[in-house]
Amino acid sequence: MGTVISLALPAGAARDGGDVLDGATAAVERVFAGLDATFSLYRPDSEASRMARGEGTLRDASAAFRGRFADATGWRLLTDGFFTPERPDGVLDLSGIIKGYAIDQAASALKCAGIEDWCLNAGGDVLVSGSPAPGAGSRWLAGIVDPQDRGSLLSGFSLGGAGRFSALATSGTAERGNHIWRAGTDRAGGGRAGLGPPDFRQVSVAAADILTADVLATAVVAGGRRMLDRATDSWDVEVLAVRGNGELLATQGFRA
Amino acid sequence: MVQTRFGAVQVQITVKAGAITDVTALQLTDDVRKSVQISNRAAPLLRAAVIKAQSAHVQTISGATVTSGAYLSSLQAALDAANL
């Protein structure tokens, strides 16, 4: 997937001879490596690359590929088309949903291994479970990068514990975001012409699950203010959006 | 009875000669907390008024997709190195 995965466990977890840490790392690696082999567009031999080259149709695709395609098209409906698994040139690209799905699957693997307290970060998208200090019951604290100065933090958000939110995803035009396409500006003859320049440089969404957080962050970057209002009206989420000029829009949960 | 993300909403309408003459709310959501916070739209916020976090106190960093190359100079990399 061309990204870096960081797994944090409470300090006590490593004291048991490192077994817990090694087991947790191996479980996460297996999930990401397995999905990468099928879905990476950076691997010419992956199923996703073959599909992108037009070698085969969805009817011939694996159950896993069709499953993620179904997930992505479901989200396209829910986001009024602002999240879409198709690039402007019509090529199928599931990258926008695979990272969130991989994080979700890694979470299942960690839970199956009996590991309850962890914080998993894949390329800036975060999912947590339990607490960084299980005895004290404190919550994981995630910092949000300032897109105007990537060496400093714009904000912070507490995740896990007794709170409603375990996931925080950030999308933006600042770094890569190559699975985000601005509707109307990129689609020749598309139905959403005249949207103008992108509203948001960076959008962070906190949600109960990582797929919702990740998909909605991507959709709001693509869809601007209209999709932002749709997201906060339709889902139980908190959003922090940074406009192109640096101004902030935030829901209540991001106010100090 | 309509299900919304804030809970069930039930209204009673009175119809006379084919026209609605009255609407009475029988139940406006079954969750007090959420019904108070019925709108959670994002509003403009000064940078000074957003929840702050010091990089020394966070356990993880959320940002727009970090590539393997960009990771090396990222805050997350510094954090990971500090906890090794």
Side-chain angles (χ1 to χ4, degrees), chain A residues 2-4 6 119 121 123-124 140-146 148 151 153-156 164 170 175-176 225 229 232-238 246 248-256, chain B residues 5-6 33-34 37 39-71 73-76 80 83:
Chain A
T3 194
V4 176
S6 303
C119 170
N121 184 322
W140 296 94
L141 179 60
I144 295 175
V145 166
D146 185 344
Q148 296 186 315
L153 296 178
L154 172 66
S155 181
R164 288 159 29 235
T170 298
E175 249 186 79
R176 189 164 62 161
R225 182 65 205 238
D229 288 344
T232 54
D233 286 354
S234 308
W235 283 272
D236 186 15
V237 292
E238 299 289 351
L248 306 181
L249 285 176
T251 55
Q252 204 61 38
F254 275 101
R255 286 163 190 270
Chain B
R5 60 174 275 236
F6 300 106
R33 179 183 60 81
K34 286 180 180 171
Q37 191 206 336
S39 169
N40 189 34
R41 287 211 165 176
L45 187 64
L46 291 175
R47 284 189 166 233
V50 77
I51 292 180
K52 289 288 178 222
Q54 304 277 328
S55 35
H57 299 142
V58 302
Q59 285 96 29
T60 194
I61 310 278
S62 184
T65 304
V66 175
T67 59
S68 312
Y71 169 79
S73 59
S74 71
L75 282 174
Q76 181 68 41
D80 291 342
N83 286 315

Side-chain angles (χ1 to χ4, degrees), chain A residues 14-239:
Chain A
R15 277 204 291 273
D16 312 327
D19 286 355
V20 175
L21 192 55
D22 289 348
T25 309
V28 171
E29 276 181 2
R30 268 196 304 276
V31 168
F32 275 84
L35 287 166
D36 201 55
T38 303
F39 292 100
S40 175
L41 286 170
Y42 296 95
R43 293 166 173 261
D45 59 334
S46 72
E47 184 174 13
S49 290
R50 289 199 303 276
M51 294 291 287
R53 289 195 299 267
E55 302 168 16
T57 65
L58 276 170
R59 269 180 53 170
D60 315 316
S62 67
F65 195 92
R66 279 185 277 124
R68 301 299 74 71
F69 177 75
D71 293 348
T73 50
W75 280 109
R76 175 163 62 188
L77 280 174
L78 291 171
T79 60
D80 203 17
F82 286 120
F83 180 90
T84 169
E86 280 163 20
R87 295 208 302 242
D89 58 7
V91 169
L92 193 57
D93 184 346
L94 297 176
S95 308
I97 205 161
I98 290 303
K99 191 165 67 168
Y101 179 75
I103 296 171
D104 188 60
Q105 293 293 294
S108 298
L110 289 170
K111 281 169 189 164
C112 287
I115 304 164
E116 290 169 5
D117 301 289
W118 45 263
C119 170
L120 183 60
N121 184 322
D125 293 339
V126 179
L127 180 67
V128 309
S129 174
S131 165
S138 60
R139 302 172 70 190
W140 296 94
L141 179 60
I144 295 175
V145 166
D146 185 344
Q148 296 186 315
D149 172 10
R150 301 192 63 81
S152 69
L153 296 178
L154 172 66
S155 181
F157 198 84
S158 293
L159 299 168
R164 288 159 29 235
F165 303 113
S166 296
L168 177 67
T170 298
S171 288
T173 52
E175 249 186 79
R176 189 164 62 161
N178 57 359
H179 57 266
I180 302 173
W181 309 290
R182 284 273 304 159
T185 54
D186 297 338
R187 249 181 247 169
R192 298 178 199 281
L195 279 182
D199 292 351
F200 302 126
R201 184 169 175 185
Q202 177 174 294
V203 174
S204 300
V205 176
D209 67 283
I210 188 64
L211 268 166
T212 301
D214 200 9
V215 167
L216 291 182
T218 303
V220 173
V221 169
R225 182 65 205 238
R226 185 175 136 204
M227 184 61 222
L228 173 58
D229 288 344
R230 189 183 174 105
T232 54
D233 286 354
S234 308
W235 283 272
D236 186 15
V237 292
E238 299 289 351
V239 183

